[in-house]
Amino acid sequence: MRSFGIIHIFLLLLLLLTYLWADGQDYILTAKGDSIAGTLKPLSFGVEKKVQVTDVNKKKQTFAIFQVKEYRFKGELYRPIKGPDGYTFMKVVRNGYLSLYYYQLPNQVTYDGTYMQKMDGKGIDVPNLAFKKAMKNFLKDCDAVVDRIEAGELAKKNLNEIIDEYNQCISNNTVSKTKAIAERVEQKRSIGPWDVLEEKVKSETDFDGKQNALDMIQEIKGKISRSEKIPNFLIEGLKSSLIKDAFKEPLEAALKEVN
């Protein structure tokens, strides 16, 4: 029984080590969506950047920059990004709607250049001079971040914080916009039957209370569009004005939207 337990513990540790090795293994993800694990060798010299990969079967392949979606090398993730000097492989530092990258400056092997890029493709080379002005313009769709940059609370040394706050701001705005759109769709759906009822009332020959009924319908539609509660007396008043059989069906359909 004791040896049985030791064997299982050994196998568990072996599986854990295998998982950790696989999870941290270098790989290349091609533009076609193929993932190739193996030993990577970035070829950063020359005008056109390339990546060489030797897979587990010792097969060696070389991919040009436009054939690569991303690759991981020594635990770091790299992507082809169009920077100030054209396309190059940049190291991913912060990932999100707004991402932060480091890249190699011309004739250098270290990654000393700093670049920001939004998911919509807009990017900026992070400057040393006029940093505040450049960031205020680039991040102007988020007032909270711009205000903190303007106040001096966020500077170039706070790039990670700037990116995190900006991404959170965009996320919040997106949720708010999505909610607002959903509310407008719901309002239009709710108002639809009231439009039908209104047209029906207008099309009928004059009858006692016709104008009052139209006024009440307009008031109800206004309250629906503002997401306000509709008073019961308004509903009952409309019912008493539209007692003709011709109004029964459209009135019931409209009232279902407020009940």
Side-chain angles (χ1 to χ4, degrees):
M1 180 66 70
R2 184 177 179 183
S3 60
F4 177 81
I6 293 174
I7 290 172
H8 278 72
I9 292 172
F10 174 77
L11 290 174
L12 181 62
L13 290 173
L14 183 61
L15 286 171
L16 180 60
L17 289 172
T18 302
Y19 169 78
L20 292 174
W21 174 82
D23 187 58
Q25 189 177 21
D26 292 345
Y27 71 87
I28 183 170
L29 181 62
T30 71
K32 293 181 179 180
D34 299 323
S35 181
I36 305 171
T39 303
L40 267 64
K41 182 180 180 182
L43 307 175
S44 58
F45 53 85
V47 176
E48 186 179 5
K49 313 301 181 185
K50 301 178 182 180
V51 182
Q52 186 182 88
V53 56
T54 304
D55 63 21
V56 292
N57 297 316
K58 305 301 180 182
K59 181 182 177 182
K60 188 178 294 185
Q61 299 179 75
T62 301
F63 295 90
I65 190 167
F66 293 114
Q67 296 176 301
V68 179
K69 187 173 183 179
E70 66 179 33
Y71 71 85
R72 181 163 64 186
F73 178 64
K74 294 184 178 179
E76 302 282 3
L77 189 63
Y78 297 81
R79 291 181 184 147
I81 302 293
K82 187 178 181 181
D85 301 304
Y87 278 93
T88 188
F89 286 114
M90 294 190 182
K91 183 189 299 184
V92 181
V93 182
R94 218 72 170 180
N95 194 37
Y97 177 82
L98 174 64
S99 296
L100 176 65
Y101 300 93
Y102 291 161
Y103 68 96
Q104 293 173 311
L105 295 169
N107 304 316
Q108 291 191 21
V109 295
T110 54
Y111 287 76
D112 296 326
T114 309
Y115 193 77
M116 283 182 173
Q117 187 181 67
K118 297 179 183 178
M119 201 171 286
D120 61 7
K122 296 177 182 176
I124 184 174
D125 193 37
V126 181
N128 289 315
L129 300 176
F131 173 83
K132 181 183 290 188
K133 181 179 179 180
M135 288 298 101
K136 285 168 57 181
N137 184 60
F138 185 60
L139 307 176
K140 61 186 178 183
D141 49 344
C142 184
D143 292 337
V145 174
V146 169
D147 288 345
R148 291 196 65 193
I149 292 173
E150 175 64 33
E153 297 175 11
L154 296 174
K156 188 175 181 180
K157 64 181 180 180
N158 309 115
L159 280 181
N160 288 344
E161 188 176 354
I162 289 174
I163 288 173
D164 290 347
E165 288 202 16
Y166 176 84
N167 285 337
Q168 186 61 53
C169 176
I170 293 299
S171 177
N172 293 342
N173 290 345
T174 301
V175 170
S176 298
K177 288 178 181 178
T178 301
K179 183 179 179 181
I181 291 171
E183 288 176 350
R184 286 198 295 271
V185 170
E186 177 62 24
Q187 288 166 357
K188 287 182 179 180
R189 187 188 68 80
S190 299
I191 289 174
W194 288 95
D195 288 335
V196 173
L197 176 62
E198 185 177 33
E199 290 303 313
K200 180 62 178 175
V201 174
K202 288 179 179 179
S203 68
E204 289 291 314
T205 55
D206 288 345
F207 60 90
D208 288 341
K210 179 176 181 178
Q211 189 56 51
N212 285 339
L214 290 172
D215 290 342
M216 285 186 283
I217 291 172
Q218 278 294 317
E219 187 173 352
I220 290 171
K221 287 170 62 177
K223 288 184 178 297
I224 292 174
S225 66
R226 296 188 296 273
S227 299
E228 296 176 0
K229 184 178 180 180
I230 300 171
N232 191 56
F233 73 84
L234 200 56
I235 298 296
E236 295 303 320
L238 184 62
K239 286 181 179 179
S240 64
S241 297
L242 302 179
I243 57 175
K244 293 175 64 175
D245 288 342
F247 300 130
K248 183 178 180 181
E249 188 174 327
L251 178 60
E252 288 179 351
L255 291 176
K256 283 181 181 178
E257 299 299 329
V258 297
N259 292 334

